[in-house]
Amino acid sequence: SLSNGNKKKSLERLLEEAEKKQQRLKALKQGDEEDKAKAAKIEWGIALKEASGEKVRNDPAMIKKAMKRKAKKKVKSAEAWKARTDQLRDKIDERQKIRTHNINQRKQGGMAGANLSKKRIVEDEDKKTEDGKKKRRLGPHAEKSRAGFEGKKQDFINGKSGGSKAKGKAGKTAQ
């Protein structure tokens, strides 16, 4: 019995014992004077234990609440685990899709085989419309090229005209 003292009791066993103790106390209180004295002694013992800081788990309602809380926690944990496994499965499927795409691109060879990337799969799917042509860019910069590729270079920066920037500014202020 000493070796079993440190182990925690399960909530089911605690509930069972608490209900038995409660019924016994009720029965003692309804008995004669001797039984009432025993009941008072038991209640004082419980009160002293609580006062000394020891946990006394003798309320069946509280134990039932703890059991419900534990069951909810278990359900929530199971849901979280299922979400993690689903996410892992999705990630594996995604990686397999990328792998098959890259293998197919390699088979084609040339530039298609050289440009292997995770991003290319998404771009290939997004850029084409129903008729197989590339989609046009949307938004305020639809007509413009990418930054740094706005157009052909007409002249050198320091062209024959000399300080073109300075003259341009002076010309605007004169007008």
Side-chain angles (χ1 to χ4, degrees):
S1 66
L2 288 174
S3 62
N4 203 16
N6 291 338
K7 290 188 178 179
K8 287 187 178 180
K9 293 180 182 176
S10 69
L11 290 175
E12 290 82 10
R13 252 181 72 196
L14 277 172
L15 178 65
E16 192 179 309
E17 288 176 7
E19 285 174 343
K20 279 183 184 176
K21 282 181 184 176
Q22 202 175 40
Q23 286 174 355
R24 186 165 176 258
L25 268 175
K26 204 174 194 182
L28 285 173
K29 283 182 182 178
Q30 291 174 352
D32 60 344
E33 289 297 316
E34 195 177 312
D35 289 343
K36 284 182 181 176
K38 279 185 184 178
K41 190 175 180 183
I42 291 170
E43 285 177 335
W44 271 108
I46 292 169
L48 284 172
K49 281 183 180 177
E50 285 178 350
S52 67
E54 192 177 322
K55 276 191 179 179
V56 180
R57 300 181 95 178
N58 62 350
D59 187 5
M62 296 295 279
I63 296 171
K64 284 178 185 174
K65 271 187 183 180
M67 286 172 70
K68 278 186 181 178
R69 201 170 40 244
K70 189 177 178 183
K72 277 185 183 178
K73 189 177 179 183
K74 192 173 183 179
V75 168
K76 190 175 180 183
S77 174
E79 286 174 2
W81 181 256
K82 188 178 184 307
R84 274 195 295 272
T85 55
D86 289 346
Q87 187 179 15
L88 181 66
R89 195 175 303 112
D90 291 344
K91 208 172 194 178
I92 290 170
D93 291 344
E94 166 93 17
R95 290 174 72 179
Q96 186 61 35
K97 182 181 171 188
I98 292 166
R99 184 173 184 273
T100 53
H101 176 264
N102 287 347
I103 289 170
N104 291 338
Q105 291 294 90
R106 279 244 169 80
K107 284 178 186 174
Q108 287 179 8
M111 285 303 290
N115 294 324
L116 302 178
S117 164
K118 182 179 179 179
K119 294 177 185 173
R120 296 243 187 276
I121 297 173
V122 179
E123 287 176 11
D124 291 347
E125 291 171 359
D126 287 346
K127 283 191 177 179
K128 292 182 180 172
T129 57
E130 292 105 30
D131 56 340
K133 295 181 180 176
K134 281 188 174 182
K135 284 185 185 176
R136 286 193 55 193
R137 287 179 70 178
L138 301 174
H141 307 292
E143 301 301 319
K144 297 177 185 173
S145 299
R146 292 186 1 242
F149 298 93
E150 286 84 9
K152 291 183 178 178
K153 184 170 67 170
Q154 299 297 324
D155 199 4
F156 292 112
I157 295 173
N158 298 327
K160 293 177 183 175
S161 59
S164 60
K165 289 183 182 177
K167 282 189 180 178
K169 286 182 183 175
K172 285 182 184 175
T173 53
Q175 291 175 356

